[in-house]
Amino acid sequence: MELLIAILVGILFAVGVYMMLSHKLLKIIIGTAFLSHGTLLMLMTVGKLKRGAPPIIVDGVEDAVYVDPIPQALILTAIVIGFATTAFSLVLAYRCYQELGTDETEQMRGDFTDEH
Amino acid sequence: MLLGLVLLPFAAAFLMPLLSKILKNKVGYAAVLVPLVLFASFLSLLPKVNAGEHIAYALHWIPTLGVDLAVRLDGLSLLFVLLISGIGLAVMVYSIFYLGAKERLGNFYTFIMLFMGAMLGVCTSANLVCMYLFWELTSVSSFLLIGFWYEKENPRLGAQKALLVTMAGGFCILAGIILIYRVAGTFAFDELIAQADLIQASPLYPAIVILLLIGAFAKSAQVPFHIWLPTAMEAPTPISCYLHSATMVKAGIYLIARMTPILGGTAMWGGIITVVGLTSLLFGSLMAIRQFDMKGILAYSTISQLGLIISLFGFGTDAAIAGGLFHLLNHSTFKGSLFLMTGIVDHQTGTRDTRLLHGLGKVMPLSALVACIGSFSMAGLPPFSGFLSKEMFMEAAEQAHASNLAFMGDLAYLIPFVAVVASIFTFVYSIALFFKIFFGGETTTTTPKQPKEGSLGMLIPALCLVSFNIIIALFPNAAAGLVLKGAINSVIGHGYDMHIAFWHGITPALIMTLIVVGLGLFVYWHYDWVKNLFLSYSSRIGAEKFYQKFLHGFPALTGKLTDLQINGRLSDYVAFTLCGALLLVLGPMIYYNAWSHIDISDLAPVDALEIVLAVVATCAALFVALTKRRIWAILALSVVGYCVSFYFVLMRAPDLALTQLMVETISTVLYLLALYKLPYGMLSNNPPIPNGRRTINALIGCLVGLMGFTVCMLGQGCKYFDSIAWYYNENSLKLAGGHNIVNVTIVDFRGFDTMGEITVLSLAAIGVYIMIKLGRNHLYDRHGVEPEEEQKTEFNDAGNDTVVIETDPYFQDDNDLQFPISPL
């Protein structure tokens, strides 16, 4: 299963980076979302997959084997932070459009030729 | 004590700005104390060092690299520190009377102290790293002093040129030092001498020699790095005397002398040094004839004389090295006094132009005396010390074919010829400097100031300095025994019985000197004709042209490079960053073939549902990358998100699955909300990305994907560390009383992380709030329109995603970049 997820991670990264290299704000934000999904799966995979029960202790069961809880704790944090940054970027994009009248990074850069 | 002496000028440099505030224009008198103390202290060390004792002191500095702040005084160092402090003393006394009260005396004395300390450091450092540090400091202080009158353009350009050339040389030295360390594993001179054979046998030896010699030649203004010295003459004359003739330019010679026991003795070493030295000797003496500025003559003369000394080190015989060090001493005294004399003439007449100056001897007899002794000594005439060392040079040149230059074969017989030709012109410009200025008709009346004799304060240092040309000539063997013997010993590694005398009988050297004087007088007879002949040839030689091209071409080139990189395109910046990351991560992966290390022996089983999910997620992802409709893109993105949360279920992570499900839902809503506010045609780029660039983007994406895949696979197979999960599994219930290990980890074991997470969340929330809130007020302030009104006109029909930009007055007059979060 690790191999399958690793391939998926690769695909998500590739799509995410491709989107991030575009000029549209929304595309860039979608790109970061892909990167974040890929990262979550990668974190999970490097901790090995499906090696035991969900990390919830059931009373009376001794010596149970659980999956590694540390990547899970890490990912839980990452999901929430990912959400925060997505929300922030979306509002930033909205405000950029409102202020500058464009959602194109290419048009936001202004006229560079004047300075030289 | 020795380290204290070396650091004393630095301490003084710190005090000088303060003292100049208190003492005003009398600050020079306080500054003079420093070289006085130094000179006296070094003189007192003379007997000890001559007895063969090495005075050393080390302070731990970078122990891990074996680098100490170590100073050490042997014969060679002592010769140099005596020159530095002695001539420093003369120059500082002179400066008091040379510089007017209106000059920035605080700056002047601070810089000169900095230089003095740096130069002492170069000559006493016991290891290469220390020496390099002080070496660069001399370049910096030289830069500051050349640019002392920075209001004028020429001193600035001169300072820039000197800094660029000598620093470039400095970098070569640094590279050479690193190579030496690679071969010998040490920086200390003593240990390096012991390993001289190892270094000379190393394949890196040629590179070491070339790099170190470039640095030495750049510092000592040897062809083709000489170009900085003539323009450095824009410095105040005491500085030209001190840095650019008597001491700093001799640092290159010091380096060569210091490295001779380590690198010397080979054909390569001797060959390069001899060729460059003789070229500079000849070139400098020819160029000096062309000059009209007295300091210009002296600058080229310095290049020429340093070439002479350096070529003696190239010959490499004991007698040649002894002669080189002797001439170094003599050169410092006669060239120093000639500079001081030039300063007096400049100060008293207001010009240094030889066309305006003549017949000054009647009104400036003492300056004339200085000029007479100095220039005759430089010309190599008896009974002055210059004659003695010049004779030694002639002798060494005549015997060069038998030294370690034997590999040159018959070419070595050219050396005496070159020596004679260069000496003829040296003779000519030397005596011209004296006769044309102090004789040659009536006293000049065309100078800016009416000439009169300079003040005693300026004359006494000059007379003292020049008197050494007579003292050394009278007691050459005493002088040699006192300061030269130890120095020669340090360079050649054994004692050398030096006997200097005026009369050796009829030797080839004497005959060569007679030829020089005879032909020199003949050329001087036709001085104007020769000068015009020389002037009719262009002075712009290759090195200067190259420097000018570099000076203008290099910033243009870097500017173009910067424009290429910092072009204002955000997508390019992302691409550059990713390419850098790829180079750093994927590069080593390819180099070490990371894929051969992937361990797939221990993988979890795959079931059908997982494969289906992977296929769905992949299709959705590819769809997002290709679709032109934004609504579809967002929905497909959420499909990927839901697939991820499904995976979490399958990976036995119920908390993650729940959170991801919730967050994905809210995110989708957020995206859809944003959709209404952002313009239509969201996903088609305008202007469109060219196809070539699109391919590059896809390629970068695929490579990053490959990198992610590899990291993931390497990570899952990693066995370098034991898992620490057992701690959480065991203690979650015991210590924290919680059944859900992940929850306990988050709120308890890793509580601080969670606090950080909450902080990020709060900051994002504040950011979102401020962006929206400030935006509204901003609009209101700018246009006096109620925010609500503004909002109404933004879109007419949310259903079909069209935004009527034309109705919004705000977008039409405002194109400047204003980031709404900047008030944060």
Side-chain angles (χ1 to χ4, degrees):
Chain A
M1 185 180 182
E2 281 87 346
L3 191 62
L4 182 77
I5 302 294
I7 292 168
L8 186 59
V9 166
I11 291 167
L12 290 181
F13 273 17
V15 172
V17 165
Y18 179 74
M19 300 287 281
M20 273 177 76
L21 287 170
S22 97
H23 297 161
K24 286 278 176 181
L25 288 180
L26 188 64
K27 270 191 161 183
I28 293 169
I29 297 168
I30 291 175
T32 58
F34 273 105
L35 277 188
S36 130
H37 286 322
T39 314
L40 300 183
L41 288 177
M42 183 199 262
L43 277 174
M44 203 69 193
T45 312
V46 294
K48 296 302 259 185
L49 299 172
K50 300 203 287 191
R51 304 295 154 96
I56 294 168
I57 298 165
V58 183
D59 284 327
V61 179
E62 293 288 319
D63 293 334
V65 178
Y66 304 112
V67 293
D68 197 336
I70 300 167
Q72 296 199 12
L74 208 57
I75 291 167
L76 204 53
T77 312
I79 293 173
V80 177
I81 289 179
F83 170 67
T85 47
T86 302
F88 187 84
S89 327
L90 278 172
V91 176
L92 192 62
Y94 159 61
R95 289 287 300 130
C96 272
Y97 171 62
Q98 221 179 24
E99 287 281 325
L100 307 170
T102 177
D103 61 333
E104 280 271 349
T105 56
E106 194 66 349
Q107 287 166 13
M108 286 177 190
R109 74 192 265 253
D111 194 356
F112 242 59
T113 51
D114 285 355
E115 291 172 28
H116 297 287
Chain B
M1 177 194 165
L2 183 58
L3 188 63
L5 286 178
V6 173
L7 296 180
L8 175 69
F10 289 113
F14 275 104
L15 282 177
M16 281 303 147
L18 187 70
L19 283 177
S20 72
K21 288 272 181 296
I22 300 168
L23 296 171
K24 302 281 190 262
N25 54 354
K26 297 275 181 282
V27 61
Y29 293 98
V32 162
L33 291 176
V34 175
L36 189 65
V37 168
L38 288 170
F39 190 58
S41 313
F42 287 128
L43 270 184
S44 74
L45 292 173
L46 203 53
K48 266 189 176 176
V49 172
N50 277 343
E53 196 179 327
H54 285 185
I55 298 154
Y57 182 78
L59 203 69
H60 280 298
W61 182 26
I62 317 172
T64 45
L65 286 178
V67 176
D68 291 336
L69 189 62
V71 287
R72 172 172 149 288
L73 202 64
D74 63 358
L76 183 65
S77 301
L78 193 65
L79 172 65
F80 274 87
V81 294
L82 281 173
L83 281 177
I84 295 160
S85 53
I87 293 172
L89 181 62
V91 165
M92 291 245 206
V93 172
Y94 181 89
S95 308
I96 299 172
F97 302 93
Y98 181 82
L99 289 172
K102 282 183 202 150
E103 305 285 359
R104 290 174 292 265
L105 294 176
N107 288 11
F108 181 83
Y109 287 106
T110 307
F111 298 159
I112 207 166
M113 287 295 170
L114 194 67
F115 167 75
M116 195 183 285
M119 197 63 209
L120 290 177
V122 168
C123 296
T124 56
S125 289
N127 63 53
L128 283 163
V129 175
C130 275
M131 193 208 70
Y132 173 73
L133 183 82
F134 288 118
W135 181 283
E136 293 292 39
L137 253 183
T138 61
S139 297
V140 171
S141 51
S142 156
F143 168 80
L144 292 170
L145 283 165
I146 297 169
F148 181 66
W149 287 309
Y150 54 74
E151 310 87 350
K152 294 185 233 161
E153 193 186 12
N154 281 345
R156 289 201 304 268
L157 291 177
Q160 183 189 36
K161 197 194 265 185
L163 189 77
L164 286 175
V165 174
T166 52
M167 283 278 181
F171 282 132
C172 290
I173 289 186
L174 183 63
I177 289 173
I178 293 167
L179 290 183
I180 288 180
Y181 186 75
R182 278 197 61 163
V183 175
T186 176
F187 293 117
F189 289 122
D190 287 338
E191 295 167 34
L192 287 171
I193 291 173
Q195 300 193 53
D197 292 337
L198 178 77
I199 296 170
Q200 296 198 3
S202 153
L204 289 175
Y205 175 74
I208 293 172
V209 167
I210 288 168
L211 286 170
L212 286 183
L213 287 183
I214 287 176
F217 293 152
K219 199 71 162 178
S220 288
Q222 295 298 288
V223 176
F225 308 108
H226 64 281
I227 49 165
W228 68 269
L229 192 64
T231 45
M233 293 298 140
E234 295 293 342
T237 302
I239 295 307
S240 303
C241 167
Y242 190 31
L243 272 70
H244 305 126
S245 87
T247 59
M248 189 184 84
V249 288
K250 298 215 164 71
I253 296 172
Y254 174 80
L255 182 71
I256 290 174
R258 183 52 87 197
M259 298 313 281
T260 294
I262 301 166
L263 302 172
T266 62
M268 184 186 183
W269 174 264
I272 295 177
I273 295 178
T274 305
V275 168
V276 171
L278 287 177
T279 311
S280 303
L281 168 65
L282 189 61
F283 174 79
S285 65
L286 295 177
M287 287 297 285
I289 302 280
R290 290 172 48 103
Q291 304 304 312
F292 290 110
D293 182 357
M294 285 169 77
K295 280 176 87 174
I297 298 172
L298 292 178
Y300 280 104
S301 155
T302 303
I303 294 171
S304 165
Q305 296 285 309
L306 292 173
L308 186 155
I309 300 169
I310 281 180
S311 63
L312 278 168
F313 280 94
F315 300 160
T317 56
D318 292 355
I321 286 172
L325 288 170
F326 189 36
H327 196 68
L328 181 134
L329 177 66
N330 294 333
H331 176 252
S332 293
T333 54
F334 68 67
K335 189 58 65 61
S337 53
L338 284 175
F339 263 108
L340 295 185
M341 177 277 292
T342 302
I344 295 170
V345 170
D346 188 12
H347 197 261
Q348 299 303 112
T349 65
T351 181
R352 302 189 305 253
D353 193 329
T354 50
R355 285 166 294 193
L356 298 178
L357 296 166
H358 50 82
L360 290 178
K362 283 173 195 151
V363 284
M364 302 174 76
L366 288 173
S367 305
L369 181 65
V370 174
C372 172
I373 301 172
S375 55
F376 281 20
S377 189
M378 179 156 78
L381 289 173
F384 304 111
S385 60
F387 169 74
L388 296 171
S389 46
K390 204 62 172 281
E391 283 281 277
M392 291 167 87
F393 169 65
M394 292 299 192
E395 201 177 316
E398 186 259 322
Q399 287 167 2
H401 59 86
S403 67
N404 59 356
L405 295 177
F407 75 94
M408 284 185 168
D410 291 342
L411 272 181
Y413 289 101
L414 269 178
I415 293 172
F417 180 71
V418 173
V420 167
V421 172
S423 297
I424 289 170
F425 288 103
T426 307
F427 178 85
V428 171
Y429 70 71
S430 299
I431 59 170
L433 192 64
F434 171 60
F435 282 110
K436 294 277 174 198
I437 288 169
F438 292 95
F439 291 92
E442 286 304 303
T443 305
T444 176
T445 50
T446 48
T447 50
K449 284 193 226 166
Q450 190 56 37
K452 58 177 194 302
E453 185 59 283
S455 70
L456 278 180
M458 287 195 283
L459 280 168
I460 287 172
L463 283 167
C464 284
L465 208 52
V466 87
S467 67
F468 277 99
N469 283 291
I470 300 173
I471 296 171
I472 296 173
L474 288 179
F475 311 104
N477 293 308
L482 207 59
V483 294
L484 287 181
K485 222 172 165 184
I488 297 165
N489 196 358
S490 305
V491 179
I492 63 178
H494 52 84
Y496 175 70
D497 190 24
M498 192 173 177
H499 184 73
I500 308 167
F502 273 101
W503 180 254
H504 293 281
I506 310 287
T507 56
L510 185 72
I511 294 168
M512 283 159 82
T513 307
L514 287 175
I515 294 172
V516 167
V517 174
L519 284 178
L521 282 173
F522 177 75
V523 173
Y524 182 66
W525 205 258
H526 304 282
Y527 182 70
D528 292 328
W529 183 80
V530 172
K531 188 155 186 156
N532 285 330
L533 180 74
F534 276 38
L535 282 169
S536 59
Y537 289 99
S538 167
S539 68
R540 292 288 292 258
I541 65 147
E544 178 65 27
K545 272 185 194 154
F546 177 80
Y547 173 78
Q548 294 298 342
K549 256 189 192 161
F550 170 82
L551 197 64
H552 299 112
F554 197 67
L557 183 75
T558 49
K560 269 183 197 152
L561 205 66
T562 308
D563 287 348
L564 202 68
Q565 189 207 346
I566 310 295
N567 53 16
R569 287 195 185 84
L570 292 176
S571 57
D572 282 1
Y573 296 168
V574 176
F576 292 145
T577 312
L578 288 170
C579 286
L582 284 172
L583 208 66
L584 288 177
V585 180
L586 205 61
M589 278 179 180
I590 293 168
Y591 185 77
Y592 293 109
N593 192 9
W595 296 276
S596 66
H597 298 281
I598 289 175
D599 179 15
I600 48 166
S601 59
D602 181 30
L603 297 182
V606 187
D607 58 32
L609 180 59
E610 283 154 6
I611 294 174
V612 170
L613 277 176
V615 171
V616 170
T618 306
C619 291
L622 294 177
F623 180 73
V624 172
L626 298 174
T627 184
K628 298 254 184 276
R629 297 289 307 274
R630 52 190 193 163
I631 189 92
W632 291 119
I634 288 164
L635 289 178
L637 173 66
S638 62
V639 168
V640 175
Y642 288 126
C643 286
V644 171
S645 41
F646 261 115
Y647 269 124
F648 287 147
V649 173
L650 297 170
M651 291 168 179
R652 323 273 155 83
D655 296 287
L656 298 193
L658 280 174
T659 316
Q660 173 73 15
L661 215 58
M662 198 166 73
V663 163
E664 201 51 49
T665 311
I666 301 174
S667 295
T668 308
V669 172
L670 260 180
Y671 276 110
L672 290 173
L673 262 177
L675 209 65
Y676 288 128
K677 299 284 185 186
L678 290 170
Y680 187 68
M682 189 69 199
L683 292 180
S684 53
N685 292 291
N686 179 35
I689 303 175
N691 275 336
R693 181 58 203 270
R694 208 186 284 270
T695 318
I696 291 172
N697 287 353
L699 186 70
I700 294 175
C702 290
L703 288 176
V704 172
L706 179 66
M707 187 173 87
F709 165 78
T710 317
V711 169
C712 195
M713 283 315 285
L714 287 172
Q716 64 86 24
C718 171
K719 294 188 186 68
Y720 294 112
F721 310 101
D722 291 329
S723 171
I724 51 169
W726 59 269
Y727 177 84
Y728 295 90
N729 293 345
E730 271 181 22
N731 293 315
S732 155
L733 193 58
K734 216 187 292 174
L735 294 179
H739 288 84
N740 186 330
I741 304 172
V742 175
N743 281 4
V744 168
T745 308
I746 281 180
V747 298
D748 214 312
F749 292 125
R750 311 293 308 172
F752 268 119
D753 292 1
T754 309
M755 200 166 86
E757 174 198 338
I758 293 169
T759 313
V760 172
L761 211 58
S762 326
L763 282 177
I766 292 169
V768 167
Y769 177 75
I770 285 174
M771 274 195 282
I772 292 170
K773 183 82 181 163
L774 263 185
R776 289 187 170 201
N777 292 344
H778 189 57
L779 283 175
Y780 184 65
D781 290 346
R782 291 280 287 269
H783 300 285
V785 184
E786 284 295 327
E788 284 72 22
E789 263 178 66
E790 197 73 28
Q791 295 294 317
K792 270 180 229 158
T793 56
E794 202 163 311
F795 48 88
N796 57 357
D797 184 0
N800 60 10
D801 296 344
T802 41
V803 175
V804 184
I805 301 174
E806 289 74 21
T807 58
D808 188 344
Y810 185 65
F811 296 122
Q812 286 162 2
D813 59 358
D814 193 359
N815 283 318
D816 57 334
L817 271 163
Q818 287 183 337
F819 283 101
I821 49 167
S822 58
L824 273 175

